[in-house]
Amino acid sequence: MIKELIIDSSPSGATIALVQDKQLVELHKEQITNNYTVGDIYLGRIKKIMPGLNAAFVDVGYEKDAFLHYLDLGPQVQSLLKLTKQVRGGGYQSKLLDNFKLEEDISKGGKISEILNKNQLIPVQIAKEPISTKGPRLSSDMSIAGRYVVLVPFSEVISISKKIKSNTERNRLRKIVESIKPKHFGVIIRTVSEGKGVAEMQKDLLDLVSRWEAFITRLPSVEPGKKVLGEIGRTSTILRDILNPDFQHIYLNDPSLYEEIRSYVHEISPDLESIVKLHKHKEPIFEHHGVDKQIKGAFGKTVNLAGGAYLVIEHTEALHVIDVNSGNRTANKENQEENAFMVNKEAAKEIARQLRLRDMGGIVVVDFIDMHKPNNRKDLFDYLKAEMAHDRAKHTILPPSKFGLVQITRQRVRPEMNIVTTEVCPACGGTGTIRPTILLLDDIENNFNYILTEQNEKGINLCVHPYIEAYIKKGLITRQMKWLVKYNQWIKVKSNPAYQITEFHFFNAKDEEIKL
């Protein structure tokens, strides 16, 4: 599988396209003005305790208060509150936790009113970005993610990714981390750590420790509701999480971002530095690599599939609905079941791509074409799960119901990617109405009066839609002949099929357009 990352940078931010085997599979937008990115840490102020929800609303500077549930406080929230109070009061000078005494873990079934009070200050991390009418979702169970490991303060636990199967490798990684991790910090070892040496692991961990130290340094002076520690950029986050030897190219169109990404790739994976390339062509980067065309074809209510089938994707407030249609694929009664199975498999592959591409979250209901054989339904379910395995977002797929519906839940941490692919009609300007065609020739003749009489142009050509050309030239005595008598000049009439029905232009003898 060949992977490419294409980054279109602009003054307002960057659009990042992940392409696999020349097919667009993920699209991300990084706005410079977006201050509420997943992973950012803010100093929040408790605005309201809601005992009925066992949650609190927190002011983090957003227009709507953010939501913090008891289960998102983390077992060591008392230690976090104690550290915050001591650091802001000047009673704790160290940047690490070597001399810090941890508090007891809170009960899983406790009440938030027993932990937090109104107007209390608490560092919180963005768990979900603001979506629709909701403010951010918060967590005070903080963590700082790196390429190989994740640093978890107020813990001693070392966790290892379940995707690392070898016991020998798991033991090796555990021993490496045990020897280098700071006191009172837990570590999660990520899947990409497999096979990495002590030097790489230590460098990544030290980078995370320095970020924690930056957090402690800023904590005393930062105002409530302001950001204390920001997550690295969306571009760097994607590279950190998915960069591997499968990547062939990373294309960028901005020289400064090119240098930034090249140095970042050199830090995390020096052998891949050469794949970062600066786009130097005149045409836009997305157009050059065929991304624009794929965006136009993939974002819309109807998504066409290669075999003639198509998907209809509808979005509601509560869920997303996807309907699979066979389109112009026809089948005999004998192979109707097989045809339905083939269309459903093709649709399943595209649905897995669409979920990633649009970053659709929450509940997704898919109405596949009905199949009668249980084996086919099971094979389709297994095929969909295999295609969804490439998705980095947490998701659950339920087997087809007795009505043939497949339900998918997918983690949503940021607003859904929604791109408008329709364009304003050039004929009506989006109003849905055009000037009466009966008046079209009057408009043309009014312009003749101006061009021929007042401007005294000679040898002009009129360019119109083919239908209008046919109308002008029809009959024994054509409109052209009438114009010859009226203006004492023969006017050539040409057609252009690209014109709208009411569109017309005038050209002089040198074939230059006459601006009216």
Side-chain angles (χ1 to χ4, degrees):
M1 185 181 290
I2 298 172
K3 293 183 181 179
E4 295 176 318
L5 207 62
I6 302 164
I7 303 167
D8 181 14
S9 182
S10 66
S12 61
T15 305
I16 307 149
L18 175 61
V19 179
Q20 288 182 357
D21 296 331
K22 299 297 180 183
Q23 188 178 42
L24 180 67
V25 293
E26 285 186 28
L27 193 68
H28 303 269
K29 283 197 173 183
E30 181 183 31
Q31 300 292 337
I32 290 174
T33 55
N34 182 17
N35 296 322
Y36 297 90
T37 305
V38 173
D40 286 351
I41 299 175
Y42 283 75
L43 181 63
R45 183 189 293 278
I46 305 298
K47 289 293 289 292
K48 191 185 294 183
I49 303 290
M50 304 293 288
L53 297 174
N54 205 15
F57 285 101
V58 186
D59 176 17
V60 289
Y62 189 65
E63 58 192 36
K64 292 198 172 183
D65 289 338
F67 185 78
L68 176 63
H69 194 270
Y70 180 85
L71 296 176
D72 294 322
L73 290 176
Q76 275 290 318
V77 65
Q78 296 283 30
S79 296
L80 176 64
L81 293 169
K82 176 182 170 183
L83 179 70
T84 303
K85 189 175 181 180
Q86 289 184 3
V87 169
R88 286 184 68 84
Y92 190 80
Q93 301 299 325
S94 174
K95 292 183 178 180
L96 292 178
L97 301 175
D98 297 358
N99 304 320
F100 185 77
K101 185 180 177 183
L102 298 181
E103 298 294 306
E104 289 186 7
D105 289 1
I106 62 171
S107 166
K108 288 184 178 179
K111 303 292 183 185
I112 198 164
S113 55
E114 299 170 356
I115 308 296
L116 301 177
N117 302 307
K118 189 177 179 181
N119 292 325
Q120 189 173 7
L121 298 181
I122 177 173
V124 285
Q125 195 163 27
I126 305 293
K128 284 186 180 181
E129 294 176 14
I131 297 173
S132 185
T133 58
K134 300 174 183 176
R137 177 80 182 255
L138 305 176
S139 170
S140 57
D141 191 9
M142 296 194 303
S143 61
I144 305 174
R147 174 148 174 81
Y148 301 121
V149 296
V150 179
L151 191 67
V152 183
F154 313 113
S155 173
E156 298 288 355
V157 178
I158 298 175
S159 306
I160 304 174
S161 168
K162 292 179 181 178
K163 293 181 181 179
I164 301 177
K165 304 295 184 184
S166 168
N167 285 330
T168 306
E169 179 65 8
R170 292 173 72 88
N171 291 333
R172 184 186 74 86
L173 291 171
R174 185 182 295 277
K175 286 178 181 176
I176 290 174
V177 170
E178 280 176 349
S179 64
I180 59 177
K181 85 171 187 69
K183 186 179 178 183
H184 296 329
F185 282 94
V187 173
I188 301 169
I189 301 173
R190 306 182 73 174
T191 309
V192 287
S193 301
E194 193 167 8
K196 300 302 176 186
V198 179
E200 293 165 296
M201 301 283 285
Q202 186 170 25
K203 182 181 182 304
D204 194 40
L205 190 59
L206 288 175
D207 288 343
L208 299 184
V209 170
S210 67
R211 296 192 67 211
W212 169 262
E213 290 175 342
F215 163 74
I216 293 295
T217 303
R218 294 170 191 162
L219 191 56
S221 58
V222 73
E223 295 179 14
K226 299 295 183 181
K227 188 188 296 185
V228 187
L229 186 69
E231 175 65 288
I232 58 175
R234 189 92 188 97
T235 310
S236 301
T237 304
I238 292 171
L239 287 173
R240 179 192 70 194
D241 292 345
I242 66 176
L243 188 65
N244 59 40
D246 289 343
F247 272 85
Q248 300 292 311
H249 306 287
I250 300 173
Y251 295 105
L252 305 101
N253 62 349
D254 182 87
S256 60
L257 186 61
Y258 163 75
E259 291 297 334
E260 180 187 328
I261 295 299
R262 195 166 64 88
S263 61
Y264 182 73
V265 172
H266 176 75
E267 281 183 24
I268 64 174
S269 195
D271 51 323
L272 294 177
E273 184 184 352
S274 61
I275 69 173
V276 184
K277 296 174 182 176
L278 184 63
H279 176 77
K280 295 180 180 178
H281 298 272
K282 288 184 178 179
E283 60 184 336
I285 187 168
F286 274 8
E287 190 178 324
H288 180 77
H289 292 280
V291 174
D292 260 345
K293 187 176 180 181
Q294 291 195 55
I295 291 173
K296 291 288 185 184
F299 286 88
K301 181 178 176 180
T302 303
V303 179
N304 295 312
L305 306 180
Y310 63 94
L311 306 177
V312 178
I313 303 176
E314 296 274 10
H315 307 280
T316 73
E317 185 67 25
L319 49 80
H320 308 277
V321 183
I322 303 177
D323 186 32
V324 180
N325 295 276
S326 57
N328 58 16
R329 279 187 70 150
T330 56
N332 299 323
K333 287 185 178 179
E334 290 76 20
N335 65 354
Q336 191 172 6
E337 177 81 9
E338 188 62 29
N339 185 69
F341 180 58
M342 295 305 295
V343 170
N344 283 339
K345 278 189 70 175
E346 186 182 11
K349 184 173 184 178
E350 180 62 24
I351 287 166
R353 171 177 171 251
Q354 285 288 330
L355 294 183
R356 292 175 67 189
L357 193 55
R358 303 185 188 213
D359 205 5
M360 291 160 63
I363 301 171
V364 181
V365 178
V366 185
D367 183 12
F368 284 105
I369 298 171
D370 289 343
M371 296 183 296
H372 302 292
K373 294 181 180 178
N375 285 344
N376 283 345
R377 291 199 292 268
K378 183 182 182 302
D379 289 347
L380 175 64
F381 177 59
D382 293 339
Y383 183 78
L384 179 60
K385 284 201 297 184
E387 288 296 320
M388 288 288 291
H390 304 295
D391 196 339
R392 289 180 291 130
K394 293 178 183 175
H395 59 269
T396 305
I397 307 172
L398 298 181
S401 70
K402 65 178 180 179
F403 299 116
L405 302 176
V406 172
Q407 298 172 67
I408 303 169
T409 60
R410 186 175 182 273
Q411 183 186 31
R412 175 164 61 180
V413 295
R414 56 182 58 85
E416 177 190 338
M417 177 65 67
N418 187 23
I419 293 176
V420 178
T421 57
T422 53
E423 297 175 355
V424 174
C425 170
C428 70
T431 62
T433 58
I434 60 173
R435 188 168 168 77
T437 52
I438 197 170
L439 300 179
L440 178 64
L441 289 180
D442 288 347
D443 289 343
I444 291 174
E445 290 186 9
N446 287 338
N447 283 295
F448 277 151
N449 288 329
Y450 172 74
I451 293 169
L452 300 175
T453 308
E454 297 185 27
Q455 297 290 101
N456 200 27
E457 286 278 358
K458 301 293 181 184
I460 71 167
N461 300 319
L462 169 65
C463 197
V464 292
H465 188 276
Y467 287 169
I468 306 301
E469 181 200 27
Y471 177 76
I472 291 171
K473 293 181 177 180
K474 79 168 185 174
L476 188 62
I477 301 176
T478 65
R479 284 272 178 173
Q480 276 180 297
M481 295 178 71
K482 292 179 180 178
W483 290 339
L484 175 63
V485 173
K486 185 176 181 179
Y487 301 111
N488 197 28
Q489 186 177 147
W490 182 255
I491 297 163
K492 292 181 182 178
V493 179
K494 299 178 181 179
S495 67
N496 188 334
Y499 282 11
Q500 304 301 321
I501 189 75
T502 57
E503 185 178 357
F504 60 88
H505 296 276
F506 297 99
F507 297 87
N508 60 21
K510 296 179 181 178
D511 208 29
E512 297 171 340
E513 186 176 353
I514 300 171
K515 301 293 183 182
L516 299 174

